[in-house]
Every structure is written in C-alpha cells, then in structure tokens.
C-alpha cells in the first residue's frame, strides 16, 4: 500500500519527548567507483517543503534546487561523512557505509537525541536509532539526508570526471552501467575504482563475462549485505 513521505515517525518521537531528530541516508553504496557518502540532517520542527522527496524519485535539476533550499535554511543542521574507495576495499562496503554514517552524525553541530536511519540498524551507533526500510520514501527527515548525500556525491563524481575523463563518471556517477563497464573493459580500473567489487577485479573478462558478472545474483547479494566480492591475487568529513 502506498504511504506518502511525511513526519509520522518524527511525530511519534516528539510525542514521547524526543526533541532533536536526525535523518540519515547514504549515496554510492552500490557503485563500482568513488566514495560512499552519508548525510545526517536535523530539520526544524515546523519545517515544510512541498517538493522534498526521496532523492531517487527526483530529477537531477530538482534535486539540486532542493539541496540549495536545504543547506541555505539557517534553522536546519546537516553534515556529511565520506569514506573513499581505498577504505571501502579495506573494510568492505557495509562497514564503510556505517562508518560514513557515524562520521556524519558526529559532525553535526547539535548532537541529536535520536536518529532515523534508512535501511537496517547500524551497530555500534552513538545515539539511539530507529531503522526504517525504505525510510527515504517514508520520512521527510531521511529524504532530506538522501538529497544532501546524493548531490554531494554526484558533485564529487563530476570532479573525478575531470581527472579521469575516459571513464565518463559525470554520466553514470560510478554506477554499474553499460557505458561504465565498456570503459572499465577498455581502460582497466583507475585509482578511485573499488577493486574488491567483481567487475573491477576482473576487468579483462570478455565483455559478455563482464556484463554477466555485474548482473549476477551472487554479486547483488554480496553488495546488498556489504560483503566484499572476490578480488585477485581515507576518510573525509565536512559539515555545514
């Protein structure tokens, strides 16, 4: 059944005395290249925005507009945590995603009383949490975090495209698209590719094999659970 993105979770928490509520979401977990970026956002209690929604459901131009609306609001608190591809390869994508979320929550200027997290629980975590499957579609606080995380990461990938133009990162943002796989096959991995991810670890497969590896259920399952894929043979943060 369709449920509109709103403040139902936030209202339940405020009803029991929880004042500062952060929404947390990530961008880039399923990409083959670049960092994973998490954002933490605390919205003012009377916040309203008629166009805010899950970032994946927004056109890029509208997402940029909403991003500017959010970060220019003086009553809104936000921060991001960024874990690069080398750290992802070292600790695996699930741990890297959780690390980025912890960095983002720690970088907030006001420590929240509770966090609403998109997806499954993050353990350990520095504040009480409620994990919500598809939370970016249900909680506007998480949706705000999803927009900030997505726009932040997309901008980083466009910057990387200037350094590695042959991979067309500005088009696919490092995700597993046909053009990305073609470029990976042609040029091999560059410094921001995640070498623990199967299509990157095996760039010399035939194109047919590379497409099959990218689409295989085993790869999807490992990516979703955050386990590193078979491979042959830094951390940044900022706040508003």
């Amino acid at each position: 059944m369709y449920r509109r993105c709103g403040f139902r979770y936030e209202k339940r928490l405020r009803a029991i005395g929880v004042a500062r509520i952060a929404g947390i979401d990530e961008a880039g977990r399923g990409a083959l290249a670049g960092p994973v970026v998490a954002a933490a956002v605390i919205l003012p209690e009377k916040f309203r925005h008629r166009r805010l929604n899950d970032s994946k459901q927004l056109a890029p131009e509208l997402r940029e507009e909403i991003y500017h609306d959010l970060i220019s609001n003086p009553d809104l608190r936000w921060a991001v945590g960024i874990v690069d591809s080398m750290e992802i390869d070292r600790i695996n994508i699930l741990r890297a995603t959780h690390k980025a979320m912890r960095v983002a929550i720690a970088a907030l200027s006001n420590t929240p009383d509770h966090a609403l997290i998109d997806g499954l629980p993050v353990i350990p975590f520095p504040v009480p949490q409620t994990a919500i499957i598809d939370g970016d579609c249900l909680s506007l606080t998480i949706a705000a975090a999803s927009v900030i995380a997505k726009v932040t990461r997309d901008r980083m990938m466009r910057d990387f495209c200037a350094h590695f133009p042959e991979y067309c990162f500005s088009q696919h943002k490092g995700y597993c698209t046909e053009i990305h796989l073609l470029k990976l096959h042609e040029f091999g991995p560059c410094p921001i590719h995640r070498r623990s991810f199967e299509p990157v670890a095996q760039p010399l497969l035939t194109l047919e094999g590379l497409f099959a590896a990218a689409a295989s259920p085993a790869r999807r399952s490992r990516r979703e659970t955050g386990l590193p894929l078979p491979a042959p043979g830094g951390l940044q943060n900022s706040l508003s």
Side-chain angles (χ1 to χ4, degrees), residues 208-228:
E208 293 80 1
L210 193 59
F211 290 136
S216 70
R219 180 187 180 279
R220 287 197 302 271
S221 174
R222 292 179 184 221
R223 183 189 66 199
E224 289 163 2
T225 57
L227 296 176

Side-chain angles (χ1 to χ4, degrees), residues 39-59:
V41 177
I42 301 177
L43 299 178
E45 187 172 353
K46 302 298 184 182
F47 177 86
R48 295 291 181 272
H49 196 297
R50 63 183 181 85
R51 297 184 298 173
L52 176 60
N53 203 344
D54 169 21
S55 65
K56 296 186 293 297
Q57 300 183 35
L58 300 171

Side-chain angles (χ1 to χ4, degrees), residues 77-222:
R77 298 290 177 264
W78 66 277
V80 296
I82 302 168
V83 176
D84 66 23
S85 56
M86 292 180 64
E87 184 79 348
I88 290 169
D89 286 337
R90 188 179 73 83
I91 64 176
N92 85 36
I93 185 59
L94 179 62
R95 293 190 180 97
T97 301
H98 289 181
K99 183 173 184 177
M101 290 180 171
R102 288 190 290 268
V103 169
I105 206 78
L108 283 170
S109 55
N110 290 20
T111 302
D113 303 311
H114 197 96
L116 300 175
I117 299 177
D118 182 55
L120 299 174
V122 177
I123 300 173
F125 204 67
V127 300
Q129 63 179 292
T130 299
I132 307 169
I133 301 296
D134 296 327
D136 48 3
C137 302
L138 300 174
S139 162
L140 282 171
T141 311
I142 297 178
S146 77
V147 169
I148 290 177
K150 175 65 173 168
V151 172
T152 299
R153 187 180 186 278
D154 283 357
R155 289 179 174 187
M156 293 181 70
M157 295 308 295
R158 286 194 292 270
D159 289 342
F160 282 129
C161 193
H163 294 283
F164 309 106
E166 64 273 23
Y167 295 94
C168 305
F169 287 131
S170 62
Q171 294 183 39
H172 52 72
K173 310 300 187 296
Y175 286 94
C176 190
T177 65
E178 182 174 350
I179 187 172
H180 190 185
L181 292 176
L182 289 170
K183 298 299 183 181
L184 184 60
H185 180 76
E186 182 177 359
F187 298 107
C190 77
I192 68 163
H193 276 101
R194 301 173 184 178
R195 283 163 168 74
S196 57
F197 281 46
E198 191 169 8
V200 180
Q202 302 185 56
L204 299 181
L205 289 175
T206 64
L207 282 179
E208 293 80 1
L210 193 59
F211 290 136
S216 70
R219 180 187 180 279
R220 287 197 302 271
S221 174
R222 292 179 184 221

Side-chain angles (χ1 to χ4, degrees), residues 5-12 43 47-48 138 140-141:
C5 196
F7 289 112
R8 63 182 66 85
Y9 292 95
E10 292 86 341
K11 288 177 180 177
R12 291 173 192 167
L43 299 178
F47 177 86
R48 295 291 181 272
L138 300 174
L140 282 171
T141 311

